[in-house]
Amino acid sequence: MADTLQLKIVSLKEVVYDDYVDSVTLPTKAGEITVLPNHVPLISHLSKGSIRARCKGQQKSFELDGGFMEVTSESRLTVVLQ
Amino acid sequence: MATLRTIRLRIKGTKNIKQITRAMEAVSAVKMRKSQGVALAARPYATAALRMLHNLTTSQKASFSGDAQFNLLETRKVKTTLLVVVTSDKGLAGPFNTNVLKKAEGFIKSATGAVTIATVGKKATEYFTRRSRKPALSWTGFGDYVEVKEVEPLFDFVFQAFTDGQADEAYIVYTNFLSAMKQEVVIRKLLPFSEEGLLAMVQGIVPEKGRFADYNANTAKENANTANNEYLFEPSPKEIFDAILPALLKIQIYHAILEANASEHSSRMIAMRSATDNASELIKSYTVSMNKARQSAINKELAEITGGSEALAV
């Protein structure tokens, strides 16, 4: 069982972020969700807002206009920005 | 035989041309490298989006083609085909534009039913307008490094044409960048979507040789073992499908233009290099004939002088 989550945020221009974090909060079309390690596989449509990633007490935040996210069974979270 | 003066003028002119072509070669080389980098930067995005789509289809057991629920996947009887032709705005790029137009012409001839044309770049627009086949949409003046936003009008046009039923299929013809020396004109199906088409496009992003060539091996590893997951979908599979397909279409068009851009620059670079080489050779042969002309003038003068002095001595 993984105890961290691999977060990867990609845009058309670059890989914005690629590292291991403890939890991620994202704005989906159906409301804000927080993804922890070992989340069930999920694909969701993101709306405008900010992604907040927490890693060892520190918080990082990324603005987005929309996009998609995918959580795989290996605790890998990929966000594609629009 | 040309006079000394005209040959000298010719050498001077050729030298000037050589200087210009050499500068153009250098500029194109830089631009090529940069646009290649831009094209590649979008690759992780494309693979991620594609993988999502793949997972979506497999876990939904939705047949990828011919599912009427998702209208971008719908295969219809083909009455009208939309063809997007990607060329450059500027010339002097060797056979770059001619090759694309030739391929497009071949496609139009072999197509069943009517073909609507949308053009990118001045050269294609001029070509089709001259042949009284005015393009339905012509889009010129995009910069060297296109922004995604700039592609929007073209994307909207293709999307609208397909969903309104004005076109039953959409293709794009552009030049794929394989390496600095090798480009290939390809025709790719944009709509209706097919997974094979998307995969071919994504894999085609990586050049055969050079700095970025080992990219495919790395991403293949990363994408392994992601299939066969049971996925949750929020809000619903259909909504995600409806949102992700247009996004993929946009990427595809964007990418085709980036690839064409890199190809244009490398094609121009090669054309300019051979122009520079030709200029050097011309200068060499001009110099030889200049020397000959000069020598024969000297000989003539010498003969005249000796002839004159002999006449005086008598």
Side-chain angles (χ1 to χ4, degrees), chain B residues 83-87 100-106 108 115 117-136 173:
Chain B
L83 181 67
V84 183
V85 186
V86 186
T87 58
V100 173
L101 294 172
K102 230 185 263 168
K103 191 107 175 175
E105 199 63 59
I108 292 165
V115 179
I117 295 165
T119 56
V120 177
K122 228 182 247 163
K123 291 289 160 188
T125 314
E126 279 166 10
Y127 179 88
F128 287 110
T129 314
R130 217 165 28 229
R131 277 157 188 76
S132 54
R133 255 183 184 281
K134 208 167 166 36
V173 48

Side-chain angles (χ1 to χ4, degrees), chain B residues 104-265:
Chain B
E105 199 63 59
F107 178 86
I108 292 165
K109 276 207 187 91
S110 64
T112 51
V115 179
T116 319
I117 295 165
T119 56
V120 177
K122 228 182 247 163
K123 291 289 160 188
T125 314
E126 279 166 10
Y127 179 88
F128 287 110
T129 314
R130 217 165 28 229
R131 277 157 188 76
S132 54
R133 255 183 184 281
K134 208 167 166 36
L137 176 94
S138 51
W139 189 57
T140 56
F142 60 95
D144 280 332
Y145 319 109
V146 224
E147 291 284 327
V148 194
K149 263 191 224 116
E150 293 178 75
V151 188
E152 216 105 307
L154 183 65
F155 160 77
D156 285 339
F157 176 78
V158 175
F159 188 76
Q160 279 297 323
F162 188 78
T163 44
D164 291 356
Q166 284 165 15
D168 305 300
E169 269 185 329
Y171 287 85
I172 188 161
V173 48
Y174 68 100
T175 316
N176 205 9
F177 183 90
L178 296 177
S179 71
M181 305 304 275
K182 199 174 161 202
Q183 297 94 39
E184 174 191 39
V185 181
V186 287
I187 293 186
R188 294 256 152 84
K189 196 186 207 174
L190 288 176
L191 290 169
F193 268 112
S194 68
E195 198 166 1
E196 297 81 56
L198 285 170
L199 209 63
M201 190 222 40
V202 171
Q203 260 150 19
I205 297 169
V206 175
E208 266 183 356
K209 289 192 197 81
R211 216 143 55 98
F212 306 113
D214 53 351
Y215 211 93
N216 261 340
N218 298 339
T219 43
K221 254 183 257 158
E222 202 174 301
N223 285 336
N225 300 326
T226 47
N228 302 329
N229 286 331
E230 279 301 314
Y231 276 90
L232 275 180
F233 296 101
E234 258 176 64
S236 72
K238 185 179 173 348
E239 255 171 81
I240 292 172
F241 241 135
D242 282 348
I244 207 168
L245 288 179
L248 272 169
L249 177 64
K250 209 180 288 177
I251 300 167
Q252 235 182 332
I253 294 174
Y254 175 67
H255 244 297
I257 289 169
L258 287 181
E259 290 276 339
N261 215 275
S263 305
E264 178 198 337
H265 291 310

Side-chain angles (χ1 to χ4, degrees), chain B residues 12-81:
Chain B
K12 212 173 147 197
T14 320
K15 266 189 186 149
N16 284 341
I17 291 169
K18 187 180 160 184
Q19 229 162 20
I20 293 169
T21 53
R22 191 188 284 150
M24 278 179 82
E25 184 195 331
V27 169
S28 298
V30 173
K31 281 187 176 172
M32 177 193 82
R33 222 160 296 143
K34 199 162 168 196
S35 42
Q36 202 187 336
V38 174
L40 214 74
R43 215 190 115 95
Y45 184 95
T47 36
L50 191 68
R51 194 185 56 228
M52 280 186 204
L53 187 68
H54 178 76
N55 289 336
L56 208 57
T57 43
T58 46
S59 63
Q60 277 302 294
K61 308 270 184 294
S63 66
F64 201 81
S65 59
D67 196 330
Q69 191 190 359
F70 310 115
N71 53 10
L72 287 182
L73 302 176
E74 185 188 9
T75 39
R76 294 182 293 223
K77 202 171 170 313
V78 181
K79 285 198 288 283
T80 322
T81 313

Side-chain angles (χ1 to χ4, degrees), chain A residues 8 10-15 29-30 40-45 68-74 76 78 80-82, chain B residues 41-42 44-45 48-49 51-52 55-56 147-148 222 225-226 229-235 240 243-244 247 254:
Chain A
K8 191 172 183 179
V10 292
S11 76
L12 266 174
K13 285 221 180 97
E14 59 189 339
V15 177
K29 289 268 169 187
V40 282
L42 167 78
I43 291 181
S44 183
H45 191 187
F68 305 95
M69 59 152 285
E70 179 197 31
V71 188
T72 67
S73 54
E74 296 92 32
R76 210 158 29 189
T78 313
V80 297
L81 303 178
Q82 214 148 45
Chain B
Y45 184 95
R51 194 185 56 228
M52 280 186 204
N55 289 336
L56 208 57
E147 291 284 327
V148 194
E222 202 174 301
N225 300 326
T226 47
N229 286 331
E230 279 301 314
Y231 276 90
L232 275 180
F233 296 101
E234 258 176 64
I240 292 172
I244 207 168
Y254 175 67

Side-chain angles (χ1 to χ4, degrees), chain B residues 18 21-23 25 271-281:
Chain B
K18 187 180 160 184
T21 53
R22 191 188 284 150
E25 184 195 331
M272 286 304 120
R273 182 178 298 160
S274 65
T276 311
D277 291 348
N278 283 346
S280 307
E281 240 159 72

